[in-house]
């Protein structure tokens, strides 16, 4: 009877260690691949933020043109980010396969356009949008759907891109060596991958079409419920702040954002309200008269209200109105009409972590990286991301750096602090209005918008109290730094500069060796594997092979020494002919098997399965 090894308390079984090792390997590989699109975000965010500021703050044609050029140049990266993630994931898990990259592009567009085809726009007397069996009001449709490459599709953001890339990688690794019937053998091997991707993505997209609207509608109704929670300790902003960050990878944060920022769920203000109180004096003047509008209107949504208020607060030219109209005056006048508004309750929170909080996380990742090369690698990624977050408010550049490497830091810590920041500022709005912050934005919550919608209105006496947000952001900086540094060191997270995470080049990827994977295979596949090993031998062994490629019918191999290539053996293995197009090239015509043999040879060499020292007896025997 064999003895079974006993494990004492604290030991981990080999199986668990093996599974844990594989999981860590997958995560490390994923992080390296995602660094490619992530590395583009800092520059794109900088161009987008500066361009938006120039465009919105200048009236000259030249200035607006320059701003628009910068905006569109930066915006394109964010617009195609899900597609970039799909390509990055696909090539990462397929040994840098161009076929997988191309298939991921095909797959992602099939995924999107099937959803577009299912949308029935309003027509006749029906104002609603129809999608499968779902009916959406224009407000719901705007919240759940988005524009992707000019098409209306479900708002799924980078989450769908990563999933599409993962599915394509699985299909590639599963079917790259498939051997089809002779009549359709042309589509064998990697040429089958775009075909199976096309079919699979139809099913994949339908699954999203059926399930994703349910998630979106649930969030929509949640947003309606949030409007009642502000006066109860800022519970609405706590929930919203957590959701806003937690849903970013899935693209569903736009659902809640749209409702709270631009609809009456986020607040409503009637510009016909009178009796603004300034310096203790009731002024019998309406908001639309103060703003110079022709008629009264209703402003809905937190952002829309606050941007409108910037026209009212501070200096004015209307006779009898001082230059001290504040947001607090507007809130008082609104409340006198029986309407409670709380401008800033859904926009303040992001300034707290955007200005300096995430910079603390960047510094934590930087100091957690080992000195020397590791810290240089970390600095190249986290410092630009931190600058972009602070300056423009585009936080994804730094957030995505740790989202996939240390997810609990993102969802468990970062999202929670975002919600807590919102809860504090909203509580101040309701219970300490004399110091409560009210800072909106037009692009993102960074230093540029902070100055435009916080500092400048405050200097004019508008009562935005932006200093509160800056003070809270300064307090968040050491909290983020301490938690990130401690967590990364304690659990050895593979953040930039650690665990091989860096900006990888193509050469780096080619050198990467994957662990040998054993899997069941059909007799036909096993035979092809063994045949490919013999082809390596016939070409003079691994040491004689310089490059491996194939076209539709020919195996194209470059070798060091053509004299030791055994042409007779190649023909015995099925080659219909052998040609020598150059001094180092030996092409063997294997017909439709050529591409399959190429893939097998690459796998065999990568996994070390080739035979050694068997080419010594090869001779250049020509028929």
């Amino acid at each position: 009877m064999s003895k079974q090894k006993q494990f004492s308390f604290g030991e981990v079984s080999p199986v668990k260690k093996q599974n844990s090792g594989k999981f860590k390997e997958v995560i490390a590989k994923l992080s390296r691949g995602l660094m490619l699109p992530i590395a583009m975000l800092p520059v794109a965010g900088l161009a987008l933020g500066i361009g938006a500021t120039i465009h919105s703050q200048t009236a000259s044609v030249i200035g607006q043109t320059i701003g628009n050029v910068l905006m569109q140049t930066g915006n394109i990266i964010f617009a195609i980010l899900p597609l970039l993630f799909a390509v990055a994931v696909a090539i990462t898990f397929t040994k840098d396969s161009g076929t997988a990259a191309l298939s991921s592009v095909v797959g992602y567009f099939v995924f999107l356009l099937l959803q577009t085809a299912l949308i029935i726009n309003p027509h006749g007397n029906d104002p609603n949008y129809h999608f499968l069996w779902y009916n959406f009001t224009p407000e719901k449709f705007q919240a759940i759907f988005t524009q992707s490459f000019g098409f209306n599709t479900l708002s799924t953001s980078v989450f769908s891109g990563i999933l599409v890339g993962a599915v394509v990688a699985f299909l590639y690794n599963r079917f790259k060596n498939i051997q089809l019937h002779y009549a359709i053998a042309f589509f064998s091997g990697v040429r089958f991958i775009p075909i199976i991707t096309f079919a699979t993505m139809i099913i994949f997209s339908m699954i999203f079409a059926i399930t994703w609207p349910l998630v979106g509608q649930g969030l929509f109704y949640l947003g309606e419920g949030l409007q009642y929670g502000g006066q109860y300790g800022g519970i609405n902003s706590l929930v919203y702040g957590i959701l806003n960050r937690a849903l970013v990878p899935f693209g569903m944060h736009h659902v809640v954002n749209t409702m709270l920022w631009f609809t009456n769920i986020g607040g409503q203000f009637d510009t016909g309200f009178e009796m603004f109180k300034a310096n203790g004096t009731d002024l019998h003047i309406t908001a639309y008269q103060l703003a110079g509008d022709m008629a009264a209107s209703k402003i809905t949504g937190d952002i829309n209200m606050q941007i409108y208020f910037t026209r009212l607060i501070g200096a004015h030219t209307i006779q009898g109105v001082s230059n001290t109209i504040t947001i607090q005056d507007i809130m008082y006048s609104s409340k006198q009409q029986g309407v409670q508004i709380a401008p800033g309750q859904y926009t303040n929170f992001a300034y707290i972590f955007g200005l300096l909080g995430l910079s603390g996380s960047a510094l934590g990742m930087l100091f957690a990286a080992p000195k020397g090369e590791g810290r240089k690698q970390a600095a190249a990624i986290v410092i630009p991301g931190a600058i972009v977050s602070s300056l423009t408010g585009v936080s994804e550049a730094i957030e995505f750096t740790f989202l996939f490497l240390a997810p609990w830091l993102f969802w468990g810590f970062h999202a929670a602090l975002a919600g807590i920041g919102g809860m504090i500022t909203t509580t101040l709005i309701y219970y300490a209005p004399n110091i409560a912050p009210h800072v909106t934005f037009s692009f993102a919550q960074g230093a540029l918008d902070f100055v435009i919608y916080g500092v400048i209105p405050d200097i004019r006496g508008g009562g935005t109290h932006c200093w509160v947000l800056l003070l809270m952001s300064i307090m968040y900086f050491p909290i983020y730094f301490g938690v990130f540094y401690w967590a990364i060191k304690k659990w050895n997270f593979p953040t930039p500069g650690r665990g091989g995470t860096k900006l990888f080049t193509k050469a780096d990827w080619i050198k990467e060796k994957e662990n040998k994977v054993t899997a069941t295979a059909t007799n036909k596949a096993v035979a092809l594997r063994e045949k490919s090993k013999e082809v390596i031998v016939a070409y003079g062994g691994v040491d004689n092979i310089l490059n491996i490629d194939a076209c539709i019918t020919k195996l194209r191999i470059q070798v060091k020494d053509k004299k030791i290539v055994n042409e007779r053996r190649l023909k015995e293995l099925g080659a219909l002919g052998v040609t020598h197009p150059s001094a180092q090239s030996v092409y063997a015509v294997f017909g439709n098997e050529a591409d399959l043999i190429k893939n097998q040879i690459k796998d065999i060499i990568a996994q070390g399965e080739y035979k050694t020292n068997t080419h010594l007896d090869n001779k250049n025997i020509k028929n």
Side-chain angles (χ1 to χ4, degrees):
M1 181 179 297
S2 61
K3 295 183 179 179
Q4 295 183 351
K5 183 176 179 179
Q6 301 294 319
F7 294 95
S8 61
F9 179 78
E11 290 185 318
V12 180
S13 69
V15 174
K16 288 184 178 180
K17 284 185 177 180
Q18 183 179 7
N19 292 337
S20 176
K22 289 182 179 180
F23 176 75
K24 289 181 179 179
E25 181 182 347
V26 170
I27 294 300
K29 186 182 293 186
L30 177 65
S31 68
R32 292 195 295 267
L34 296 183
M35 280 300 162
L36 289 175
I38 287 173
M40 304 178 191
L41 297 184
V43 175
L46 197 60
L48 186 56
I50 294 176
T53 302
I54 294 175
H55 187 269
S56 63
Q57 298 300 313
T58 182
S60 69
V61 175
I62 295 177
Q64 288 198 339
T65 301
I66 294 173
N68 194 45
V69 168
L70 289 173
M71 280 176 59
Q72 298 306 322
T73 303
N75 189 55
I76 188 62
I77 299 300
F78 289 92
I80 66 173
L81 193 59
L83 177 61
L84 296 179
F85 271 79
V87 173
V89 172
I91 63 179
T92 298
F93 289 93
T94 58
K95 300 180 183 177
D96 200 18
S97 168
T99 300
L102 177 61
S103 297
S104 67
V105 174
V106 173
Y108 188 71
F109 276 101
V110 172
F111 171 81
L112 291 181
L113 296 183
L114 176 64
Q115 298 167 12
T116 300
L118 296 174
I119 299 172
I120 300 177
N121 294 323
H123 60 282
N125 295 324
D126 186 358
N128 294 331
Y129 291 83
H130 300 275
F131 185 78
L132 293 179
W133 49 82
Y134 300 105
N135 296 322
F136 299 110
T137 63
E139 292 78 15
K140 284 186 181 180
F141 184 83
Q142 183 183 10
I144 299 173
F145 288 77
T146 188
Q147 283 274 321
S148 297
F149 298 94
F151 304 100
N152 282 325
T153 66
L154 290 167
S155 181
T156 57
S157 191
V158 298
F159 177 68
S160 62
I162 292 172
L163 287 182
V164 168
V167 170
V168 171
F170 170 79
L171 294 174
Y172 179 88
N173 292 323
R174 176 66 178 82
F175 295 107
K176 66 182 178 180
N177 295 318
I178 189 172
Q179 300 176 65
L180 302 176
H181 186 274
Y182 180 78
I184 54 173
F186 172 81
F187 299 105
S188 297
V190 295
R191 286 184 289 275
F192 182 70
I193 305 305
I195 299 173
I196 188 64
T197 296
F198 187 94
T200 303
M201 282 303 133
I202 293 177
I203 300 173
F204 189 65
S205 185
M206 284 301 301
I207 294 174
F208 265 78
I210 293 171
T211 60
W212 209 252
L214 295 174
V215 179
Q217 288 189 92
L219 292 173
F220 185 90
Y221 293 123
L222 176 62
E224 289 186 318
L226 286 177
Q227 65 178 313
Y228 302 107
Q231 52 193 316
Y232 300 104
I235 189 67
N236 61 333
S237 297
L238 171 65
V239 175
Y240 167 67
I242 293 174
L243 286 176
N244 177 271
R245 291 297 91 192
L247 294 174
V248 164
F250 309 99
M252 297 302 290
H253 62 302
H254 294 300
V255 177
V256 188
N257 290 349
T258 300
M259 293 182 295
L260 300 179
W261 290 351
F262 306 112
T263 75
N264 58 2
I265 297 175
Q268 181 172 287
F269 177 75
D270 190 338
T271 65
F273 287 159
E274 291 185 353
M275 297 180 65
F276 286 89
K277 186 175 287 293
N279 293 333
T281 304
D282 290 336
L283 303 173
H284 294 276
I285 189 171
T286 61
Y288 77 90
Q289 291 172 330
L290 192 62
D293 294 336
M294 296 298 295
S297 62
K298 286 188 177 181
I299 310 298
T300 60
D302 196 21
I303 286 182
N304 289 336
M305 286 193 304
Q306 288 194 86
I307 290 178
Y308 187 83
F309 295 159
T310 60
R311 299 166 59 186
L312 309 181
I313 60 179
H316 298 285
T317 58
I318 297 179
Q319 186 176 4
V321 178
S322 70
N323 64 347
T324 55
I325 295 291
T326 67
I327 288 183
Q328 289 74 29
D329 297 327
I330 298 171
M331 291 176 61
Y332 171 80
S333 299
S334 179
K335 191 172 183 179
Q336 292 295 97
Q337 306 293 326
V339 178
Q340 177 71 61
I341 60 174
Q345 60 184 331
Y346 299 121
T347 57
N348 285 324
F349 78 101
Y351 281 111
I352 301 172
F353 65 77
L355 290 174
L356 291 172
L358 283 172
S359 296
S361 71
L363 192 65
M365 288 187 279
L366 179 63
F367 275 82
K371 293 182 179 179
E373 188 63 27
R375 194 160 291 183
K376 290 180 181 178
Q377 294 169 3
I381 296 173
V382 300
I383 291 179
I387 293 174
V388 169
S389 175
S390 297
L391 185 61
T392 71
V394 179
S395 56
E396 285 86 349
I398 190 68
E399 287 174 325
F400 284 4
T401 300
F402 63 87
L403 167 61
F404 303 104
L405 310 178
W408 80 263
L409 278 176
F410 183 89
W411 281 301
F413 170 74
H414 174 49
L417 254 65
I420 292 172
M423 179 183 68
I424 293 173
T425 57
T426 298
T427 300
L428 292 176
I429 290 174
Y430 281 96
Y431 295 102
N434 291 331
I435 62 170
H438 305 276
V439 184
T440 188
F441 68 98
S442 61
F443 169 66
Q445 290 102 315
L448 296 176
D449 274 15
F450 184 75
V451 171
I452 294 170
Y453 294 102
V455 176
I456 293 176
D458 236 359
I459 292 174
R460 294 167 57 193
T464 60
H465 298 152
C466 61
W467 60 269
V468 175
L469 299 181
L470 181 60
L471 178 62
M472 292 182 66
S473 189
I474 293 173
M475 295 171 62
Y476 265 42
F477 181 88
I479 296 174
Y480 269 84
F481 170 78
V483 170
F484 269 74
Y485 181 80
W486 168 77
I488 292 169
K489 299 290 282 187
K490 180 174 179 61
W491 285 287
N492 196 30
F493 290 136
T495 47
R498 300 169 57 86
T501 304
K502 66 186 184 75
L503 295 178
F504 273 65
T505 64
K506 182 176 180 180
D508 293 325
W509 282 17
I510 293 176
K511 292 178 182 178
E512 282 293 310
K513 303 296 182 181
E514 291 189 342
N515 290 338
K516 183 177 178 181
V517 180
T518 55
T520 58
T522 62
N523 292 333
K524 197 173 183 181
V526 172
L528 181 64
R529 189 79 165 184
E530 293 304 314
K531 178 178 180 177
S532 300
K533 292 179 182 179
E534 292 300 323
V535 169
I536 294 175
V537 174
Y539 268 99
V542 172
D543 293 338
N544 196 42
I545 295 176
L546 297 176
N547 187 55
I548 308 163
D549 205 350
C551 62
I552 295 176
T553 59
K554 291 188 289 291
L555 183 64
R556 300 182 176 188
I557 304 287
Q558 287 183 313
V559 296
K560 292 180 182 178
D561 185 1
K562 290 169 56 174
K563 294 180 180 180
I564 61 174
V565 177
N566 192 331
E567 294 184 16
R568 176 180 293 176
R569 180 57 179 156
L570 287 173
K571 292 178 181 179
E572 290 174 352
L573 292 170
L576 302 177
V578 179
T579 61
H580 302 261
S582 68
Q584 289 186 309
S585 298
V586 180
Y587 293 178
V589 182
F590 280 97
N592 291 320
E593 277 192 331
D595 196 62
L596 301 176
I597 294 174
K598 177 202 73 174
N599 291 331
Q600 291 287 349
I601 290 176
K602 286 186 174 182
D603 280 347
I604 290 167
I605 293 176
Q607 298 183 18
E609 294 181 9
Y610 52 85
K611 301 176 182 179
T612 57
N613 299 325
T614 54
H615 66 275
L616 299 178
D617 295 330
N618 284 353
K619 295 179 181 179
N620 189 23
I621 305 174
K622 298 182 180 180
N623 291 345

